């Protein structure tokens, strides 16, 4: 059982402070992630029924249209997009002073001005603008308003370039529409990577044309997958596909007998044990298979990374594991991608720290020149139960209440690993116990926004007391979007 992994880890929630009386930040808007710098200014702006959205550059037009679409639904206003300065102006300056994702946002009685070097930066700023408006702005149908925003001057940019969420579509399958909704919600919190765990012992969820038996009924065709990638890209979210190897491969070993060392196909598996399957490291067919899979998946992947898992290969001899990873690395190189994997992989471009009991692996990966994505399970795993009475989830890494999930910093969580070693953070959601969008959302909200803030906001701008007060204001936003969320008693919900 998963509990094996972490029998002795102290329950994270045991360290949580109980709900001290809050001192809500009464002078600022309830933004998550909290911006790098924010100044409250005089006056306010009210969106009127004849307001327009102005954007000069063609590059910014799709973001302006997306903003208009969103605001039209709840305001009922026409909100035409025009090619000149207007009440809401989006501006792409082309100057990179605030980096690819940075932006400035100024709200004065005359209007809203959102400026960035790139369309991506404007898109991130639009997420801030949404949160400055009343929660009813998220409603799918017209609401009365008024649509007033207090004066503010924001300058913002991310701390880390990789702010991911992972969805396990192997243990339970989720449709393209369900994945789109997950992307949409996460993108509101400036998440910019969707890591899809596409294969595992229980299922292979992506069509591979050269190995047609891999994917069963519940899986994505290559066109489905392209649609996910396109939808994510529209939100400036990069998809990182994961094909887990050499362990977690029972589904492949069941589909193709020749991939097994003994040449005998495995039985399909629906349980939740891990560590019992392995590709056959000494057979050449294994690398033909891997090369075909990587070639096809790389062709569907505009992003730089291809993830080959590498976790919990308990049935692969350690020497074989090293041999396998070296070949896998070559194959990924050949197809023009950068290898990413869980911390066990230690080589590759990026290794993902997940097991709080194995900080050595994270340090080893850094020593071998890899960058780290930080997903410590006792903080960042969205599949851990909040309390022992949480309906879904696992508890091998402890119980993870909202304060546990928020209360860590990427640069101090593993001794010897610092800011310069870290590419970013990721919140994985494993789905052994989760079969519906409602269940996914219940586990992700409210913890996902906290991990997104840890990845975006400067450490000095964050505090638990400030965060819990800001987070409270997001409950009505989720309700307006029909998001199922956990009403944690730690949060003073509005
Ligand atoms: C560990 S995290 C796993 C997954 C499980 C997860 C459940 C990791 C690299 N492997 O196989 O689904 O725990 O929390």
């Amino acid at each position: 059982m998963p509990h094996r992994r972490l029998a002795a880890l102290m329950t994270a929630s045991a360290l949580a402070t109980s709900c001290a009386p809050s001192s809500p930040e009464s002078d600022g808007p309830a933004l998550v992630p909290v911006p790098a710098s924010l100044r409250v200014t005089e006056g306010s702006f009210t969106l009127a029924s004849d307001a327009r959205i102005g954007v000069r550059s063609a590059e910014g037009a799709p973001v302006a249209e997306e903003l208009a679409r969103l605001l039209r639904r709840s305001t009922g206003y026409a909100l035409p997009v025009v090619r000149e300065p207007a009440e809401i102006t989006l501006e792409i300056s082309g100057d990179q002073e605030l980096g690819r994702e940075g932006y400035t946002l100024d709200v004065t009685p005359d209007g809203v001005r959102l400026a960035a070097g790139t369309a991506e930066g404007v898109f991130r700023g639009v997420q801030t603008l949404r949160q400055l408006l009343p929660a009813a702005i998220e409603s799918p149908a017209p609401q009365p308003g008024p649509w007033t925003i207090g004066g503010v001057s924001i300058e913002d940019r991310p701390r880390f370039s990789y702010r991911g969420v992972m969805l396990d579509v192997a243990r339970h399958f989720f449709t393209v529409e369900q994945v789109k909704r997950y992307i949409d919600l996460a993108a509101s919190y400036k998440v910019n990577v969707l890591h899809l765990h596409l294969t595992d012992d229980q299922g292979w969820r992506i069509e591979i044309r050269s190995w047609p038996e891999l994917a069963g009924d519940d899986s994505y065709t290559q066109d489905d997958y392209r649609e996910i990638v396109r939808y994510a890209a529209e939100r400036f979210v990069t998809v990182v596909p994961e094909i887990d190897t050499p362990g977690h491969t029972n589904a492949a070993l069941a589909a193709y007998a020749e991939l097994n060392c003994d040449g005998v196909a495995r039985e399909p598996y629906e349980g939740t044990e891990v560590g019992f399957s392995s590709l056959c490291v000494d057979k050449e067919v294994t690398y033909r298979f891997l090369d075909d899979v990587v070639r096809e998946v790389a062709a569907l992947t505009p992003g730089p990374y291809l993830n080959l898992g590498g976790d919990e290969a308990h049935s692969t001899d350690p020497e074989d594991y090293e041999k396998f990873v070296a070949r896998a690395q070559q194959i990924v190189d050949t197809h023009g991608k950068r290898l990413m994997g869980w911390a066990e992989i230690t080589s590759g471009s990026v290794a993902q720290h997940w097991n709080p009991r194995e900080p050595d692996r994270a340090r080893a990966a850094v020593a071998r020149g890899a960058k780290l994505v930080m997903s410590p399970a006792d903080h960042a795993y969205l599949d851990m139960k909040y309390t022992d009475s949480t309906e879904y989830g696992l508890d091998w890494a402890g119980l993870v209440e909202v304060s546990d999930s928020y209360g860590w910093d990427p640069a101090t969580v593993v001794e010897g690993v610092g800011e310069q070693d870290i590419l970013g953070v990721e919140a994985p959601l494993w789905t052994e116990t989760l079969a519906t969008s409602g269940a996914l959302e219940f586990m992700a909200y409210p913890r996902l926004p906290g991990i997104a803030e840890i990845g975006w906001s400067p450490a000095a701008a964050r505090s638990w007391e400030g965060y819990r007060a800001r987070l409270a204001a997001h409950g009505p936003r989720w309700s307006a979007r029909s998001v199922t969320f956990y009403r944690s008693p730690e949060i003073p919900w509005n």
Side-chain angles (χ1 to χ4, degrees), residues 2 5 166 168 171 197 200-202 242 244 248 272-275 309-312 342-344 352 354-355 375 377 381 383-384 394-397 428-432:
R5 295 191 190 100
M166 188 213 78
D168 169 9
R171 270 55 175 273
H197 184 76
D200 211 302
D201 291 318
Q202 297 83 349
E242 179 187 353
D244 205 349
H248 290 275
T272 58
E273 291 286 320
V274 299
D311 57 314
E312 300 176 315
W342 299 100
E344 284 93 327
Q352 194 164 348
W354 64 276
N355 193 333
S375 303
Y381 268 31
D383 62 315
M384 292 300 123
L394 305 175
D395 62 4
W396 66 264
L429 185 46
W430 301 98
T431 58
E432 289 96 328

